[in-house]
Amino acid sequence: MFIGRKKELASLQELYDRKGFGMSVIYGRRRIGKSTLITEFIKDKRAVFYTATKVGAARNLELFAQQVLFLFDPSLYGAVFSSTEAVFDYITDKLTSEKVVLVVDELPYWAEKDEALLSILQKYIDTKWQNKNLLIILCGSALSFMESKVLSEKSPLFGRRSSQIRLEAFDYKTAALFVPGYSLEDKAICYGITGGVAKYLALIDPGKSIHDNIKNLFFHTDGYLYDEPRNLLTQEFSEVTLVNNIIEQIASGTNTVNQISQKTGEGVSTVLYSLDKLISIGLVEKRNCITEEKNKKKTQYMLKDHMFQFWYKFIPPAVSVIEIGQGNLYYDRIVKRQLHSYMGSVFEDMCRYYTLEQGIQGVFDNFLTRVGTWWGVETLDSSAGKYQQAADIDVVGISEIDKTVILGECKFRKEKIDKQVYDTLIRRSSVIQGKYRILRYVFFSLSGYTDYFQTLSGNDIKLLTLDDLYRDGAE
């Protein structure tokens, strides 16, 4: 069953329905669902779908040509074309009034070995295909290549595309559609271990418990996700050891460039180069304190991919146990009781997404333009005098239009949110008040709230649970 991607399908269909030539560029990190999206789109259309591989220019041309012949004249299947131009000429001669879709998936594998390919495409688009009923879809997982060689001003194809789609992971509500029978708590955990990545979600067996799925995918040597991070890093990086060390440091809470540099023993410039690449492939994100976004000292690097976050927290310490076939036992005794703690940061991301989504619709009586987090220090009083401690606010939603703000605290735990959590948020809000007017204090709780909250009055407090976060479902 195909799930989600309604906007992307609608965009492609709109382009398909236009008469004449069109070109769409689709890109995104591996496993995100690009090929599945395209397959769904072309299932009722005349199409050539070729997926390039690392076999060199000549072999890719040969395999592409066979797919072309399979569509236009299967009786010629096996015929050899002398050049890319010869295949493109053949396609040109076969085009009629009926729309044809021409897909090249994993384009970088072919184009990196054939420097002329993109220029030849440009020539045919400009001289022979401009008035033909043809839709070209170029797709790739190498984000840096797609952005610099296909989409940038320096690309031969610049200005030829009709649309571009950068495919991202599913949000938590769409991810829940893969496991419709799960409880809301287990749907959230499912999102937390897959990060909304389409391939990983498709591996979840909705007929088994979330715990059995986690064991089978992560804690068995034949589990698909047991080696997945290592496999992905090997595909993307020539020097895997350094990148692995950097990710390990980020996963353990070392989040600034200088700290990562010190812990890994690598120079700052080397660390920055690797971080930029990790950001470009969607595994790491650069996060700024939302009220001080120009303050470079308040810049942190976080794992964006929740599957990587889960893997680096639990798998490396368990490798020996898993290798001797005791992964299930390790999960039951060690990991299972830490799941709610692990889900804390995932839940915060979910709550920030919800806050922005609702804030754009004016639910909080303002129009939120951005949502993030705040961190810094707070000054407290004690019997020994004043002292400072690290502090953070999980959700900060800002409306630059009227300089108002929404502040939120998130708890994914079995205990109800109590007075202490409320008092902490109110106290920390003082760091925001000088810059913005606070409209709402919003609390997000897995397990509800203590009776204390019934004693509070006013419209500036909003109490939410998982029911609220999942109520509207996915679009």
Side-chain angles (χ1 to χ4, degrees), residues 9-24:
L9 281 174
S11 173
L12 289 170
Q13 188 63 43
E14 181 184 354
L15 187 56
Y16 178 86
D17 291 338
R18 296 179 196 168
K19 291 183 178 180
F21 177 82
M23 185 176 83
S24 181

Side-chain angles (χ1 to χ4, degrees), residues 77-114:
Y77 194 78
V80 176
F81 291 84
S82 59
S83 66
T84 305
E85 287 94 333
V87 180
F88 286 178
D89 283 336
Y90 177 81
I91 292 172
T92 305
D93 292 340
K94 290 293 184 179
L95 293 175
T96 64
S97 58
E98 184 179 2
K99 192 80 151 205
V100 169
V101 183
L102 180 62
V103 180
V104 180
D105 195 4
E106 296 299 355
L107 171 70
Y109 288 153
W110 184 358
E112 284 176 340
K113 298 299 182 181
D114 185 352

Side-chain angles (χ1 to χ4, degrees), residues 208-254:
K208 296 180 179 178
S209 72
I210 185 62
H211 301 294
D212 285 342
N213 272 295
I214 295 174
K215 291 176 188 177
N216 293 337
L217 291 172
F218 288 95
F219 293 92
H220 294 172
T221 54
D222 60 349
Y224 186 92
L225 297 179
Y226 176 62
D227 272 326
E228 176 69 354
R230 286 188 285 252
N231 293 337
L232 276 177
L233 294 178
T234 300
Q235 292 171 15
E236 296 287 350
F237 295 92
S238 57
E239 180 49 69
V240 176
T241 302
L242 169 60
V243 175
N244 183 69
N245 288 342
I246 290 174
I247 296 176
E248 282 185 342
Q249 294 304 321
I250 296 174
S252 67
T254 304

Side-chain angles (χ1 to χ4, degrees), residues 14 31 57 67 80 91 97 133 155 217 225 232 249 279-280 291 308 326 332 355 369 373 399 425 440-441 444-445:
E14 181 184 354
R31 320 288 199 258
Q67 293 299 313
V80 176
I91 292 172
S97 58
N133 221 8
S155 169
L217 291 172
L225 297 179
L232 276 177
Q249 294 304 321
I279 290 171
S280 74
T291 58
F308 267 67
Q326 295 299 317
D332 288 334
T355 300
T369 51
T373 185
S399 171
L425 180 60
R440 295 282 186 281
Y441 297 97
F444 301 86
S445 176

